[in-house]
Amino acid sequence: MDLHRATVTANEQIMPETHVLDLASPGLAKAARPGQFVHIRCGPGWDPILRRPMSIFKIRPDGISVMVRAVGEGSTIIASSPLDSELDVLGPLGKPFTLDPSARRLAMIGGGYGVAPLVALAVEALGKGCEVVLMVGAATADYVFPADELPTDVEYAIATDDGTLGHKGFVTELLPRYLDWCDAVFACGPTPMLEAVARITRPARYGVAGAMRSEKPVQLSMEQHMGCAMGVCLGCVVMTRKGYQRVCRDGPVFPADTLVWEGSRA
Amino acid sequence: MHGLELPNPVLVASGTFGWGTEYQPLVDIQRLGAICSKGITVRPRDGNPTPRIAETPAGMLNAIGLQNVGLRAVVQEKAPIWARWHVPVIANISGESVAEYEQLAGTLDGVPGIAGLEVNISCPNVTDGGRLFADTPKSAATVTRACRAVSSLPLMVKLSPNVGNIVEIAQAVEEAGADCLSVANTLLGMVIDVKARKPYLANRTGGLSGPAVRPVIVRMVYQIASIVTIPVVGVGGVTCLEDALQYLLAGASAVQVGTANFVNPRTATEIIDGLEDYLTQQGIRDIAEIVGAARPPAARPAVSTTA
Ligand SMILES: Cc1cc2nc3c(=O)[nH]c(=O)nc-3n(C[C@H](O)[C@H](O)[C@H](O)COP(=O)(O)OP(=O)(O)OC[C@H]3O[C@@H](n4cnc5c(N)ncnc54)[C@H](O)[C@@H]3O)c2cc1C
Ligand SMILES: Cc1cc2nc3c(=O)[nH]c(=O)nc-3n(C[C@H](O)[C@H](O)[C@H](O)COP(=O)(O)O)c2cc1C
Ligand code: FES
């Protein structure tokens, strides 16, 4: 982890409001792992003051890429970075996804820009000979992550809220189809989606169905507003069985069974 | 600061630099004037529900709620690390009652690795109906006196800007035995989520910090430094050399860098470099020559007049 001045070598819009930025930085390329993120400064001034966390979307030999959805002030500034401009990038930060060597069949589930870290993970997993299914959810067909950004070996399943492409409904409704098949589950997206993934994959305590649905490792990448991203401000915590833990340093990836939802301690 | 020689006048502020270890991979922490630790309470604290952070133009609000590992863990796990460092570590303490401040100050007295105490009197006083110790000269002085009685460590008392007359409180704290004042903690603020039509932070209110607060705190330092005789440390919105110079010229002997650490973790060390160059360029041998230089001559304390 270090402070990098990374040159923007490509900036391509791949969906409405969504840009992929290639950042040149050998240091980041060498250190980055799927599931980690970078903390990017929104220009040289003090408004907006805080950096913005962005997942590592691709790891290239000479740098990394991030996929930025322009939703507000900071992300719009970053997404509109001109070619050859320099970004002030802190990273890589946080705990990466863990690929257990015994897990060969991986189910990944992403909502919105939550697909970003899963793409990096899918590339690494395919390189290790794993089979990967990636389920993504979006509001409408226009916002579905384009398949040509994915390695062809990934099995791609789509859900849209309005049914304009793929399954009509929540992306989590696709998960049961792959649950018996897979050895491990990885998810990143809005908190309600992650909570649904945790609920669907949680082994039932009683009954045959529960017993068959053996305990598969489920890793969830959580989101929270960040101040420092270095573990010092304690602004980014989520509730876990061990009390509040920091998304930036103890996460963003957490085993699903350690998380406590809606602030109630289980 | 009484009994504590700082290598330079640029410190990092409590709650913005963790336990000092977190930024070690990025910052040459041994070059800092001092590190003010995360706020320590007697018992470990969980802190407030989320969201805990909100952004505002050139500033941020936080409502962390003093999440920390508690006094015992600090003594057993953090202080031994600090004892091996050159950089002085000043323990920032927060109590819910005078007795808790006494316990914190007394326990930390003589612990190797702890170079001084910063007494944060701006946290809720549950024994006094939700008021803050920093709210009145009397309660601020009571806490200061209690800490002074049980500790031989240099005592810096951190004032709250959320009071009617901060100068009165500064005077009371000086008379009660403080060696130094840090001015100030965060300004109480609120952000409303217009879509949800309710306060944005789970705690409803939060503390405003960053460049947005700087003019308010510079004014407070200017007022206080004219009246008290103990050193004043300026805290609020320091991001660069010019900001630090504003505080020094207003009468502060040192500054603390807070929120700016989140944006550029090397802010404090860059200011230290800048200050050295500045003093050389201006032919200033002792930084005391510029401390308070922006104040009217009559109000300035007698510094060296040989020039
Ligand atoms: C670990 C992590 C990885 C992320 N990866 C990506 C990514 O790959 N691509 C992408 O487009 N976005 C990603 N985000 C979300 C992204 O950081 C926010 O969308 C962005 O901060 C919004 O900033 P803004 O200024 O545009 O929005 P504004 O609404 O103007 O922001 C206001 C405040 O809210 C915070 N904020 C708003 N939305 C979020 C959010 N969803 N998560 C955290 N903070 C938020 C901002 O940081 C800021 O402090 C990630 C967030 C986290 C925590
Ligand atoms: C996230 C955060 C946590 C803080 N925690 C503490 C604390 O525990 N004790 C304390 O005395 N001040 C605390 N502060 C206040 C800072 O030390 C400092 O007084 C304030 O941020 C103003 O300085 P700045 O504008 O440079 O940030 C905290 C500030 C922030 C932003
Ligand atoms: S963002 Fe500061 S502790 Fe995580």
Side-chain angles (χ1 to χ4, degrees), chain B:
Chain B
M1 189 167 160
H2 161 85
L4 178 62
E5 278 290 311
L6 300 182
N8 67 67
V10 185
L11 293 68
V12 286
S14 173
T16 67
F17 216 77
W19 304 109
T21 47
E22 293 89 338
Y23 276 118
Q24 257 181 313
L26 287 179
V27 182
D28 187 357
I29 61 162
Q30 305 298 344
R31 291 191 56 218
L32 299 169
I35 294 171
C36 298
S37 80
K38 172 72 200 155
I40 303 163
T41 53
V42 173
R43 283 171 300 278
R45 279 178 69 106
D46 267 352
N48 293 326
T50 56
R52 292 175 169 188
I53 287 183
E55 242 180 332
T56 177
M60 63 177 275
L61 275 82
N62 87 81
I64 307 301
L66 280 173
Q67 181 179 343
N68 81 101
V69 294
L71 177 61
R72 192 196 304 186
V74 169
V75 172
Q76 290 177 355
E77 292 158 30
K78 310 295 178 191
I81 302 173
W82 299 337
R84 297 197 296 268
W85 292 354
H86 303 301
V87 55
V89 177
I90 297 170
N92 179 283
I93 58 171
S94 283
E96 291 182 345
S97 63
V98 177
E100 282 194 4
Y101 280 103
E102 264 175 349
Q103 190 182 343
L104 287 156
T107 307
L108 292 170
D109 191 36
V111 172
I114 293 178
L117 295 179
E118 182 175 44
V119 185
N120 175 10
I121 53 175
S122 323
C123 68
N125 165 13
V126 294
T127 61
D128 191 20
R131 294 180 64 112
L132 303 179
F133 286 106
D135 280 356
T136 67
K138 194 162 160 258
S139 56
T142 305
V143 175
T144 307
R145 220 173 285 116
C147 293
R148 178 77 296 161
V150 295
S151 177
S152 55
L153 287 167
L155 213 61
M156 171 157 71
V157 177
K158 187 164 179 179
L159 305 185
S160 162
N162 309 304
V163 294
N165 186 348
I166 196 167
V167 177
E168 219 176 38
I169 296 173
Q171 281 177 298
V173 166
E174 177 181 31
E175 279 160 26
D179 298 309
C180 168
L181 300 169
S182 43
V183 180
N185 215 310
T186 51
L187 278 137
L188 200 56
M190 185 185 268
V191 169
I192 306 280
D193 180 339
V194 292
K195 266 196 223 140
R197 299 189 176 183
K198 58 176 193 168
Y200 179 79
L201 294 170
N203 193 50
R204 297 199 288 274
T205 58
L208 177 63
S209 64
V213 309
R214 193 172 54 237
V216 178
I217 311 296
V218 169
R219 180 267 296 174
M220 289 179 166
V221 166
Y222 183 92
Q223 288 178 314
I224 291 170
S226 309
I227 303 292
V228 301
T229 57
I230 52 176
V232 174
V233 179
V235 198
V238 176
T239 68
C240 62
L241 174 65
E242 281 71 20
D243 300 344
L245 287 173
Q246 283 201 47
Y247 277 106
L248 296 174
L249 294 169
S253 304
V255 295
Q256 294 182 13
V257 175
T259 303
N261 294 314
F262 302 160
V263 184
N264 172 14
R266 295 181 186 142
T267 304
T269 48
E270 285 172 10
I271 294 174
I272 293 166
D273 292 338
L275 199 54
E276 279 169 11
D277 291 349
Y278 174 83
L279 296 179
T280 316
Q281 273 167 22
Q282 302 278 318
I284 300 169
R285 253 174 291 129
D286 185 350
I287 203 160
E289 288 177 40
I290 57 166
V291 170
R295 292 205 309 264
R300 249 186 272 167
V303 282
S304 158
T305 51
T306 46

Side-chain angles (χ1 to χ4, degrees), chain A residues 1-3 41 46-52 90 224-228 230-235 237 244 246 249 265, chain B residues 15-16 18 22-23 25-26 46-50 52-53 55 57-59 64 67 200 211 239 259 262-263 266:
Chain A
M1 181 264 311
D2 206 347
L3 277 164
R41 192 159 173 188
W46 295 86
D47 189 21
I49 183 167
L50 297 173
R51 291 168 179 263
R52 297 293 188 262
L90 173 63
Q224 196 55 267
H225 293 198
M226 290 192 181
C228 64
M230 291 288 294
V232 316
C233 75
L234 305 174
V237 298
Y244 280 126
R246 300 160 299 182
R249 194 133 175 156
R265 229 187 275 196
Chain B
T16 67
E22 293 89 338
Y23 276 118
L26 287 179
D46 267 352
N48 293 326
T50 56
R52 292 175 169 188
I53 287 183
E55 242 180 332
I64 307 301
Q67 181 179 343
Y200 179 79
T239 68
T259 303
F262 302 160
V263 184
R266 295 181 186 142

Side-chain angles (χ1 to χ4, degrees), chain A residues 6 17 27 78 122 170 201:
Chain A
E17 297 111 41
I78 297 170
F170 294 133
T201 55

